[in-house]
Amino acid sequence: MTTDLLFQPFQLNGLQIPNRITVAPMSRASATLAGVPSNAMADYYERFARGGFGLIISEGLYTDQLFSQAYPHQPGIVTDAQINGWRRLNEIVNTHGSIFIAQLMHAGALSQHLTHTAAPSAVQPMGQKLKSYGGGDGAFPLPAAMSPEDIAHAVAGYVHAARNAMLAGFKGVEIHAANGYLPDQFLTPYTNLRTDQYGGTVPNRMRFIAEIIAAVRKEVPAGFIVGLRISEGKVNNFSYRWPGGADTARAVLTEVQKVSPDYVHVSAEGGSWATTGFYDSGESLTGMTKRIVDVPVIANGGLEDTAVAGRVLEEGHADFISLGKGALANPDWPHKVRSGQALLPFDRSMAVPFPPLN
């Protein structure tokens, strides 16, 4: 295996991406309390752009001011001040030739700081809040079951956020439907007990995600990227896997194919691509995604290992890799790999959120 493919450019929805190396979205809890990007965030994203990453996906940006915010100091893409703040960061990132994508995130039941939350069903979330993200301790609040009007409001929030992301200079958005947040709560049987058109079958549980993508598509130009992130594991349930294994994966991906996002980003929450991304048939979830959805695929999970990263691309499992821990340890990972420099190991302290500077 070689790393040659990592450095080949790629056309994504008509946009030239300099290479196949992506910064994964990572929550940093470093915006102001008003959700405006801070100087610390500008420095954080510029390091990756200067370090040679072709594609950078932002941390999750909340999409409305009702139920979507996950934690204090989370950035949003709702207000004029937030839009202007992200416009400044886009100008910095674009200077270095990287492509910047905004991840749009709705926490649903997994908000760390809201006292009243909303979700597909009134189901107590698993796990505990995270002190490091301002959630204090103890259980998450019991969410209210969303009404049809609540669902329509959430979808409209994604549309408004996508329009704002475009105004801020982002080249696209990624719909965060992974890791246990609101779209994933609709997809997951134990958090979605609905008996209406949003519950029960896989097509019904995928309906919310399909509506978001379709609604966003209508509001943005054809050349604006609309991606989708999916996962099996969740931030509050790392070991979760879809019941039915490969059969459920095929059913989910068949629905994804119908709405045809510009890419699918497969997250290995709670594990590594090489150890948790395969079914008994020997096919990886990323490879199955590429085969069924027939759009570019981004693989995630333990891909700072260059041998594994090379395998993902050479064997055709995915078209891009995304790095979280590897990028935190080596913001210049692409430059180091290309020049044969040693990579620094990841230390857990690197993932601790840093406080906003202003």
Side-chain angles (χ1 to χ4, degrees), residues 32 34-37 76-88 168:
T32 70
V36 177
I77 191 68
V78 179
T79 68
D80 288 343
Q82 292 166 358
I83 295 169
N84 290 334
W86 283 111
R87 185 178 292 119
R88 179 172 71 95

Side-chain angles (χ1 to χ4, degrees), residues 20 24-25 97 132 184 190 197 200 202 212-213 228 267 323 327 357:
R20 313 292 186 90
S132 60
D184 190 36
Y190 73 78
Q197 68 268 35
V202 170
I212 293 169
I213 294 175
L228 175 69
S267 170
L323 305 180
L357 299 181

Side-chain angles (χ1 to χ4, degrees), residues 287-311:
M288 185 186 295
T289 302
K290 186 170 174 58
R291 175 173 59 82
I292 293 176
V293 185
D294 193 29
V295 299
V297 172
I298 303 175
N300 171 259
L303 298 178
E304 63 273 8
D305 182 330
T306 56
V308 179
R311 177 188 168 198

Side-chain angles (χ1 to χ4, degrees), residues 329-343:
N330 302 275
D332 55 351
W333 192 93
H335 288 335
K336 282 184 173 178
V337 170
R338 194 160 205 176
S339 62
Q341 297 180 55
L343 297 170

